[in-house]
Amino acid sequence: MIQNGQIAIQVQRGSAIARIIGENAAKYDEFDNTVNMWVFEEMVDGRKLTEIINTDHENVKYLPGYKLPENVVAVPDVADAARDADLLVWVLPHQFVPKVCSQLAGNIKKTAFGFLIKGVHIKDNGLELISQMISENLNEMRVYALMGANIAKEVAAGNYCETTIGCSDEERGALLKKLFEVETFRVVVVADEHTVELCGALKNIVAVGAGFVDGLKLGDNTKAAVIRLGLMEMIAFAKSFYNNVEVSTFLESCGVADLITTCYGGRNRKVAEAFVLTKKSLEELEKEMLNGQKLQGTQTAAEVNRMLKEKGLESRYPLFTAIHKICFEGEPVTEFITCLHNHPEHM
């Protein structure tokens, strides 16, 4: 177990989790009091965002209205933020991970380990979890994952929720639970690391389907069917591409709870609904609704479809396949329900 361990958060918009980490770092002797938070520097109303956070203790750009603990310090240079850290907390879209890793290489402790709050990537030779990507780029750093029904503003507001940590190291799992758990944020640690991480990515595909249902005004019965069938495909996908998958992990917050939350309130659902109602392209909606950021669900659907196609498995995953075809191959969204009728009863 690390003693007086320093913590750095590689995050552009992870201020909600930084509030919890800051509170617990100040409370427990195992952690250094100061928590560095890397913030992509930008100007907000004529002031640097890092200056605002360090002076006013609020991320006014990405989490307005919620104060950060004073021991959370915004740092504009990622290498400076992570240099002395024992634990690196990652909250980054996968496309930015290689660049950040290159900036960190040679600037972090060899004994440091990582903690991930993001999903999955597909490369030419197969499926790659972000934990694997980080590990490969940073001298085999050990990386664990946290996933769950954790909408940022609700976490920041102190609304009760649960989350799941995937960590097969019992000692580190206990340490991570201590760092992340507060009265309103319950943490369950499971050893099934890969499944926890996969859930955080695959549920975004299903949420796109839920958004189609809302846009088509098909009601909650249909959405419930999409959620159930989507969960079936998530489980089947994990079992197809990974060994030792525990189906019970899908009953934790990282699985069914996060899936339900995302299908009712997440950005993937909202943009997919707008896609149906406005007839605009996904690119247009990303610019209008996400400030130009890419939608995770559609990206993951494309990546997963590539894997399924290479293995000749598209027909076994009609929900995932239909979502991909609607988003990228011009399939009419009105045909979406056809995939529900054609879904196999058992996978």
Side-chain angles (χ1 to χ4, degrees), residues 92-97 116-123 126-134 145 147 194-205 237-238 241-242 295-305 307 320:
L92 280 174
H94 72 256
Q95 61 266 34
F96 300 119
V97 170
L116 174 73
I117 311 178
K118 279 293 175 185
V120 70
H121 171 241
I122 303 291
K123 60 181 184 179
L127 182 66
E128 181 180 46
L129 300 176
I130 303 301
S131 60
Q132 295 171 324
M133 182 191 295
I134 295 170
M147 304 286 165
H194 287 160
T195 303
V196 171
E197 196 170 345
L198 274 171
C199 284
L202 298 178
K203 50 96 175 178
N204 289 324
I205 305 176
F237 187 89
F241 291 96
Y242 284 91
L295 196 64
Q296 292 176 329
T298 54
Q299 281 193 311
T300 307
E303 295 167 343
V304 165
N305 183 260
M307 285 297 297
F320 284 179

Side-chain angles (χ1 to χ4, degrees), residues 102-113:
S102 68
Q103 293 172 307
L104 293 177
N107 291 307
I108 57 175
K109 290 182 177 181
K110 292 182 179 180
T111 55
F113 63 99

